[in-house]
């Protein structure tokens, strides 16, 4: 079994690596590679790239990988893959040895080794320049060290090594601070047994921390062994706004795929004080927290960089993962309940795994999570699950096996159902799911039919693009950044060359703050001029009116974007945006459940009652073809169809004079419909755009003319 599990692990890792290693690093992986190069050239005790945001541990490891690859004349990605895979195999073997040394039964140690070494998600990461693989290996090593402390006293070098590993874990990934209480408990129990040499373990934790503390003190003016930037409040704030996120590298998609929080209320309180938000809204807070816990364990999109937002294998992976999670938790509960059936060493190992899981939840469950964040919990749970399978095979009664199968089916089905609901909260994933299987839309809709109607249907921000920006309870846009990703709201507007446009709005920032808010017109690198840009840098704590007037210039494109952008760490609030200079577009039209957007586009959207209708009287001739042209934009996979027809009472309402637009691309698209008035056409009728959509559909630049007339 030992050889089979090791061979399976190597084979699976090679299959993953063959797919991932040849691809260039992106996003966080690219950032770590750049930091590693900077450390390689300048050293650790310098103000290396992003030193205020990244601890030195993993980039220092990568710098060693780069140096080794240069010495061996081998590709650094394959050297990194081999190093990280080798560490994974070695630390899993250390765990097996620790269990045997402490007194665990042979088959228990072997089953735990097999579940950890061949863990399908842990084996994903050796091929990436990300902290996960090294962090998981060091975490397994620390767990092995903790288990090995059960039994006879250990020498000083062991405690020193354990302390160094614990300290290094925090430097590799600061979120690993949750392991400190566990290691402190292990050391405390040794001291309680009068093993005073264990004090070395506490001292040695500090050694890996010293370079980071020194850099923060010298270069960033902060005395801390963690990152110098205050990321905790931002992570908690994002945890209120989003249930989960993932990073897409699929062509044509936004890389930031966010699972929106359907339980979000009182966004202003959530932004300003996330912890107080959970207390003030206990029901919504508990649902949000529970969603984070679920998403830590769920693996709907296990790859850290997603190439397909609706992969065919996702349901099978989700169901199998939840079955193993149920087995692991069931084994943990059974080992605690039936203590006489396990050795003292096995109970100690189960206790440490339970402490690890609780600590992990304590750090991550208030943040917006990624699938990879939860792998540190899944690794020991899979080890326990494998022990449970072998135990049922060896010693389980028939009734216990039947109960276990029922538990697995229930966990797999329930986990898949809830995971599908979670994916429904990410518009990009929902659109990909429906595109791959249109029949799924009705199934998923029934699962989420309890969701309230979109309260942003008639909001002034419903048609704006938003990135890392929210909408407050008073319908103000809230811009706040993590210092790296720009917080942005933007809107498409029509431009004419050499025309003056005035943008007026109100903005509020914290009193005395100098956070910058940039406002500009933008249409790619060729239309990004200082003449169409304004900046606000001072704030009084109250809303202040601001206006900028720009001339569009001779090179103005037909369409550009009005952008509000900021890297502000503290919230900036924007409201009452108006643009003057945009030509009036809807004179003579009737707007029923329709409003005008900031750029004079018509916004069709119904709050669940009635129909949203945009209509205008037109003259008709019998048996004459007419061309209706317009531009339209709607959210991908979320808005209902838009109907375009000719209509008059009584009796002029036939399908021959009706056209239907069923789907949208998310961007403005030019559309044309040819409609023959027919033999029964009245002299005058109404050209109508109508929808029952509860998501906003934007229409602009409508023209109606005879099909044979010149354009």
């Amino acid at each position: 079994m030992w050889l089979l599990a090791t061979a399976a692990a190597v084979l699976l890792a090679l299959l993953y690596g063959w797919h991932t290693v040849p691809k260039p690093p992106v996003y966080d992986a690219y950032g770590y590679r750049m930091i590693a190069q900077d450390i390689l050239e300048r050293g650790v005790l310098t103000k290396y790239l992003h030193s205020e945001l990244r601890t030195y541990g993993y980039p220092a490891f990568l710098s060693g990988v780069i140096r080794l690859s240069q010495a061996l004349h081998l590709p650094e990605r394959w050297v990194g893959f081999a190093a990280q895979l080798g560490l994974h195999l070695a630390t899993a073997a250390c765990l097996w040895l620790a269990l045997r040394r402490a007194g665990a039964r042979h088959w228990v140690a072997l089953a735990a080794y097999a579940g950890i070494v061949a863990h399908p998600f842990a084996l994903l990461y050796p091929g990436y320049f990300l902290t996960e693989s090294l962090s998981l290996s060091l975490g397994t090593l620390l767990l092995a060290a903790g288990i090995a402390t059960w039994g006879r006293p250990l020498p000083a070098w062991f405690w020193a090594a354990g302390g160094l590993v614990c300290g290094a874990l925090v430097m590799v990934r600061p979120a690993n601070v949750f392991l400190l209480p566990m290691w402190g408990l292990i050391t405390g129990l040794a001291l309680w047994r009068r093993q005073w040499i264990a004090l070395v373990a506490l001292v040695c934790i500090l050694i890996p921390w010293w370079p980071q503390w020194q850099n923060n003190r010298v270069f960033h003016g902060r005395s801390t062994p963690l990152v110098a930037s205050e990321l905790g409040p931002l992570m908690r704030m994002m945890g209120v706004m989003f249930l989960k996120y993932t990073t897409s590298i699929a062509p044509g998609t936004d890389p930031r795929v966010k699972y929106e929080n359907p339980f979000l209320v009182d966004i202003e309180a959530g932004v300003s004080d996330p912890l107080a938000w959970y207390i003030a809204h206990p029901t919504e807070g508990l649902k949000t927290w529970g969603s984070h816990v679920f998403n830590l364990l769920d693996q709907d999109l296990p790859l850290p960089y997603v190439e397909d937002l609706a992969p065919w294998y996702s349901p099978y992976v989700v169901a199998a993962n939840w079955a193993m999670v149920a087995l692991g938790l069931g084994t943990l509960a059974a080992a605690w309940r039936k203590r006489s059936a396990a050795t003292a060493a096995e109970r100690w190992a189960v206790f440490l795994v339970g402490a690890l899981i609780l600590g992990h939840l304590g750090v991550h469950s208030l943040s917006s999570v990624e699938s990879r964040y939860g792998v540190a919990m899944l690794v020991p749970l899979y080890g326990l699950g494998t022990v449970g399978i072998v135990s049922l095979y060896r010693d389980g009664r028939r009734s216990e096996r039947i109960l276990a199968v029922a538990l697995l089916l229930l966990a797999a089905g329930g986990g898949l159902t809830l995971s599908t609901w979670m994916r429904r909260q990410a518009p990009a994933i929902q659109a990909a799911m429906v595109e791959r299987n249109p029949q799924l839309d009705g199934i998923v809709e029934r699962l989420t039919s309890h969701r309230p109607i979109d309260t942003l249907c008639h909001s002034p921000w419903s048609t704006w693009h938003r990135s890392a920006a929210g909408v407050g309870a008073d319908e103000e846009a809230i811009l706040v950044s993590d210092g790296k990703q720009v917080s942005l709201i933007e809107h498409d507007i029509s431009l004419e060359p050499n025309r003056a446009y005035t943008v007026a709005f109100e903005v509020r920032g914290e009193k005395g703050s100098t956070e910058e808010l940039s406002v500009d017109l933008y249409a790619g690198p060729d239309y990004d001029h200082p003449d169409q840009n304004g900046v606000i840098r001072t704030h009084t704590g109250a809303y202040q009116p601001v206006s900028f007037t720009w001339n569009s210039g001779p090179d103005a494109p037909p369409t550009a974007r009005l952008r509000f952008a900021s890297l502000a760490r503290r919230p900036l609030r924007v409201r009452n945006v108006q643009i003057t200079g945009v030509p009036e577009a809807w004179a003579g039209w009737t707007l029923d459940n329709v409003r005008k957007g900031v750029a004079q586009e018509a916004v069709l959207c119904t709050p669940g009652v009635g129909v949203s209708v945009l209509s205008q009287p037109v003259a008709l001739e019998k048996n004459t073809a007419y061309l209706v042209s317009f531009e339209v934009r709607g959210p991908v996979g979320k808005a209902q169809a838009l109907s375009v027809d000719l209509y008059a009472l009584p009796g002029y309402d036939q399908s021959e004079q009706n056209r239907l637009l069923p789907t949208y691309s998310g961007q403005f698209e030019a559309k044309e419909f040819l409609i023959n008035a027919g033999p029964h056409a009245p002299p005058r009728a109404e050209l109508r755009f109508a929808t029952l959509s509860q998501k906003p559909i934007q229409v602009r630049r409508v023209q109606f003319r005879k099909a044979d007339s010149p354009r």
Side-chain angles (χ1 to χ4, degrees):
M1 185 176 181
W2 185 90
L3 185 60
L4 182 63
T6 305
V10 173
L11 178 60
L12 187 56
L14 286 172
L15 290 174
Y16 288 150
W18 192 260
H19 174 73
T20 59
V21 171
K23 297 178 181 178
V26 295
Y27 302 115
D28 284 357
Y30 176 77
Y32 281 119
R33 172 61 181 79
M34 296 299 292
I35 298 170
Q37 185 65 42
D38 200 17
I39 288 177
L40 185 64
E41 295 172 358
R42 300 168 56 200
V44 168
L45 294 176
T46 60
K47 192 177 181 180
Y48 56 79
L49 184 67
H50 301 315
S51 59
E52 76 283 4
L53 295 170
R54 301 294 191 192
T55 49
Y56 77 92
Y58 190 68
F61 169 80
L62 279 188
S63 68
V65 167
I66 296 170
R67 192 181 295 277
L68 181 61
S69 71
Q70 293 170 348
L72 297 175
H73 303 289
L74 293 173
E76 62 185 44
R77 291 291 301 280
W78 282 110
V79 172
F81 170 80
Q84 295 186 131
L85 177 60
L87 283 172
H88 173 71
L89 298 174
T91 55
C94 287
L95 181 69
W96 172 67
L97 290 171
L99 284 166
R100 291 295 294 142
R101 178 195 182 280
R105 288 166 288 181
H106 175 72
W107 68 267
V108 170
L110 196 55
Y113 169 80
I116 288 173
V117 77
H119 196 291
F121 302 133
L123 293 171
L124 281 172
Y125 293 101
Y128 293 94
F129 280 171
L130 292 169
T131 62
E132 271 70 25
S133 186
L134 181 59
S135 178
L136 290 170
S137 295
L138 292 178
T140 301
L141 187 60
L142 190 69
L143 180 62
I147 292 170
T149 61
W150 190 266
R152 60 184 180 274
L154 292 159
W157 69 263
F158 176 91
W159 290 106
L164 290 172
V165 169
C166 187
L169 268 162
V170 178
M171 291 300 97
V172 169
R173 190 175 179 86
N176 286 330
V177 292
F178 75 87
L179 292 168
L180 294 178
M182 186 187 80
W183 186 246
L185 174 65
I186 292 167
T187 308
L189 287 174
L191 294 174
W192 182 71
R193 294 196 295 266
R194 300 179 183 275
Q195 298 176 25
W196 308 116
I197 196 65
L199 283 170
V200 175
L202 299 179
V203 175
C204 287
I205 288 176
L206 306 177
I207 296 175
W209 292 3
W210 181 82
Q212 187 68 31
W213 173 81
Q214 177 72 358
N215 281 353
N216 289 338
R217 186 181 64 83
V218 173
F219 301 115
H220 305 295
R222 297 205 58 204
S223 183
T224 175
L226 304 177
V227 292
S229 296
E230 288 282 358
L231 297 181
L234 177 67
M235 295 295 290
R236 290 189 289 272
M237 184 269 290
M238 297 297 288
V240 170
M241 296 180 67
F242 306 106
L243 300 181
K244 186 177 181 177
Y245 74 96
T246 193
T247 302
S248 172
I249 55 173
T253 63
D254 190 322
R256 299 173 295 272
V257 178
K258 296 172 180 175
Y259 298 56
E260 298 171 358
N261 185 1
F263 315 119
L264 179 59
V265 295
D266 191 8
I267 187 173
E268 184 168 0
V271 169
S272 59
D273 193 341
L275 294 179
W277 180 86
Y278 282 94
I279 297 171
H281 305 283
T283 301
E284 293 80 5
L286 185 62
K287 291 177 181 178
T288 301
W289 179 84
S291 298
H292 292 158
V293 172
F294 177 86
N295 286 325
L296 279 169
L297 294 169
D298 191 36
Q299 296 293 311
D300 59 330
L301 296 170
L303 294 172
Y305 300 122
V306 180
E307 300 178 24
D308 184 352
L309 291 174
W312 63 267
Y313 56 78
S314 182
Y316 307 101
V317 170
V318 168
N321 175 62
W322 279 105
M324 282 302 296
V325 168
L327 265 172
L329 292 175
T331 303
L332 190 152
W336 190 255
R337 182 171 174 267
K338 299 180 179 179
R339 298 182 212 181
S340 60
T343 68
E346 292 164 3
R347 294 197 300 272
W348 173 238
V350 167
F351 174 79
L352 292 181
V353 170
L356 185 152
I357 292 172
L358 290 176
H360 195 279
L361 290 176
V363 167
H364 287 292
S365 59
L366 295 181
S367 303
S368 179
V369 302
E370 286 187 86
S371 293
R372 57 183 170 138
Y373 290 4
V375 178
M377 284 195 299
L378 291 175
V379 168
L381 280 176
Y382 273 42
L384 283 173
T386 310
V387 171
I389 292 172
V390 176
S391 176
L392 286 170
Y393 174 79
R394 285 170 52 93
D395 307 316
R397 297 191 297 269
R398 186 170 181 270
S399 59
E400 291 176 331
R401 293 172 181 169
I402 293 174
L403 182 62
V405 171
L407 174 66
L408 296 186
L409 293 175
L410 182 63
L416 180 58
T417 301
L418 191 51
S419 180
T420 303
W421 180 87
M422 288 292 178
R423 279 179 284 168
R424 183 75 173 184
Q425 313 314 310
I429 294 176
Q430 175 191 333
M433 291 166 63
V434 174
E435 182 180 359
R436 173 151 292 180
N437 183 5
Q439 296 179 344
L440 188 62
D441 193 35
I443 298 171
V444 179
E445 189 64 45
R446 288 194 292 273
L447 292 173
T448 59
S449 59
H450 68 281
R451 290 184 64 186
I453 293 170
D454 188 359
T455 57
L456 295 181
C457 180
H458 283 210
S459 162
W461 305 106
S462 61
T463 56
W464 288 66
H465 299 273
R466 289 182 286 137
S467 177
V471 176
D474 296 325
E475 295 291 0
E476 78 277 20
I478 301 176
L479 289 86
V480 63
S481 170
D482 60 3
K484 297 182 295 181
Q485 179 182 339
V486 176
S487 182
L488 181 71
I489 56 173
E490 52 186 351
H491 198 288
D492 294 325
I493 62 171
S494 301
L495 292 182
E496 296 178 3
N498 297 314
R499 187 183 182 105
Y501 293 88
T502 298
V503 179
F505 57 95
E506 294 179 83
V507 62
R508 177 163 71 94
E510 293 184 13
K511 186 175 181 180
S513 170
T514 58
E515 302 275 20
E516 289 190 359
L517 175 67
S518 170
V519 186
D520 73 343
L521 295 176
Y522 176 81
D526 294 331
Y527 191 72
D528 185 19
H529 310 316
D531 296 338
Q532 289 90 36
N533 182 279
V535 177
I536 300 98
R537 294 188 176 90
T538 59
H539 307 279
T540 64
Y543 275 105
Q544 52 184 329
V546 179
S547 65
F548 297 109
T549 299
W550 305 306
N551 189 292
S552 59
D555 60 340
T559 301
R561 286 192 171 185
L562 171 64
R563 304 190 303 180
F564 292 72
S566 181
L567 283 169
R569 297 293 187 91
R570 300 176 181 177
L572 297 177
R573 292 169 171 79
V574 176
R575 69 182 185 186
N576 297 335
V577 178
Q578 296 180 353
I579 304 175
T580 57
V582 180
E584 174 64 37
W586 304 107
W589 288 76
T590 300
L591 286 72
D592 184 12
N593 269 341
V594 176
R595 62 181 174 83
K596 297 178 185 177
V598 69
Q600 285 296 320
E601 79 279 14
V603 182
L604 290 81
C605 185
T606 174
V609 180
V611 183
S612 183
V613 182
L614 174 70
S615 60
Q616 180 191 48
V618 293
L620 295 181
E621 296 176 12
K622 294 182 179 179
N623 297 316
T624 301
Y626 292 89
L627 190 69
V628 183
S629 62
F630 58 99
E631 292 181 6
V632 62
R633 185 179 78 174
V636 179
K638 299 184 76 172
Q640 295 187 32
L642 176 68
S643 169
V644 182
D645 73 343
L646 297 174
Y647 171 83
L649 289 175
Y652 188 67
D653 187 21
Q654 284 83 38
S655 59
E656 290 82 359
Q657 283 80 46
N658 183 281
R659 300 293 182 268
L660 205 63
L661 182 64
T663 59
Y664 313 89
S665 69
Q667 303 296 328
F668 273 108
E669 291 184 300
K671 298 291 183 182
E672 289 185 343
F673 289 144
L674 190 66
I675 304 176
N676 193 295
H680 307 293
R684 294 187 68 80
E686 287 187 350
L687 170 64
R688 300 191 306 179
F689 294 75
T691 185
L692 288 168
S693 177
Q694 295 178 18
K695 302 291 182 181
I697 300 170
Q698 296 164 272
V699 176
R700 68 183 186 187
R701 297 177 180 170
V702 177
Q703 294 187 22
F704 178 81
R705 51 180 147 358
K706 289 183 180 180
D708 57 351
S709 63
R711 300 192 182 181

